[in-house]
Amino acid sequence: MLPLLEVAEKEREALRTEADTISGRVDRLEREVDYLETQNPALPCVELDEKMTGGPGTRGKGRRNEKYDMVTDCGYTISQVRSMKILKRFGGPAGLWTKDPLGQTEKIYVLDGTQNDTAFVFPRLRDFTLAMAARKASRVRVPFPWVGTGQLVYGGFLYFARRPPGRPGGGGELENTLQLIKFHLANRTVVDSSVFPAEGLIPPYGLTADTYIDLAADEEGLWAVYATQEDDRHLCLAKLDPQTLDTEQQWDTPCPRENAEAAFVICGTLYVVYNTRPASRARIQCSFDASGTLTPERAALPYFPRRYGAHASLRYNPRERQLYAWDDGYQIVYKLEMRKKEEEV
């Protein structure tokens, strides 16, 4: 048996060397693709139609489309996606994982699925990456199942959308509306709720059909990305009050729904990520600055490193300046490189 073991060990070393060589070649090819894509950038995704130029298609319904007044001195925008780290595979193809950007702990929150009522809470990232991670997690059950992957953990609360209860005898007026829930994670109670003030909600992302309201947090606070039947081609953005769930401002953006898979907000700027079906290489291809500081010409349009499939969710952590992504059941961290909004690309 000893001679056979020696032969097997040599073969294993040879295979390991060959695998390392192939991995190096793949890395070089990725770098070359990144270079070529940088040298041949796509055009900014800007559409000047009637609704943006004030023509006959301009609509009211409380949408002011006024410039947003920043409450912080945050003036950064994305320069590039600097690195990617795949943590593990946990749960199904769609879900959400995140940290509380305002929390004082290192807890990891995992919400698996698009219609579920139980969240996993891990004490720290290391516990989540263990092979038997579920045993280390506590479970928090919410009173209503969430819809999609647009949930958000912010300031000790879980914000999520649910279908409002129907009235006796049915009725179509609630069919395309959603109710926002503010759930206290420590007390495990609902502290507030509000029907989102938009009629005829439709999925904002053409490649993510289960999400109707995508909640986001940045240095400025709480935001919501959505779309309606009134303009079924573009995304809308709303600034929310995290205390009362009131909608403070709303904007019609020029960012198309078609081929969008996810989005996030940094320093008051919405970044929309696009892909193809079947999934290929995702890219930020449209940005909208609610304050008007970042023009489309100055916005970078970086690619994401190649992964397994499509993003089901992206959550920006302003304290760490990185994204928490859910990609076909894989949990990924993207580190971002920033620059000032006024700097040229």
Side-chain angles (χ1 to χ4, degrees), residues 195-223:
V195 174
F196 190 73
E199 299 177 357
L201 287 171
I202 57 177
Y205 311 130
L207 300 180
T208 311
D210 295 315
T211 298
Y212 285 78
I213 298 177
D214 194 12
L215 299 173
D218 72 342
E219 297 81 358
E220 292 289 304
L222 186 63
W223 305 80

Side-chain angles (χ1 to χ4, degrees), residues 87-88 97-99 105-110 120-130 133 136-138 324:
L87 272 299
K88 66 176 304 175
W97 79 296
T98 186
K99 281 185 181 179
T105 68
E106 294 299 313
K107 288 183 178 180
I108 298 293
Y109 299 88
V110 180
F120 294 89
V121 184
F122 297 86
R124 59 188 64 85
L125 184 61
R126 183 179 63 184
D127 297 313
F128 176 59
T129 58
L130 296 175
K136 292 280 187 179
S138 59
Y324 289 79

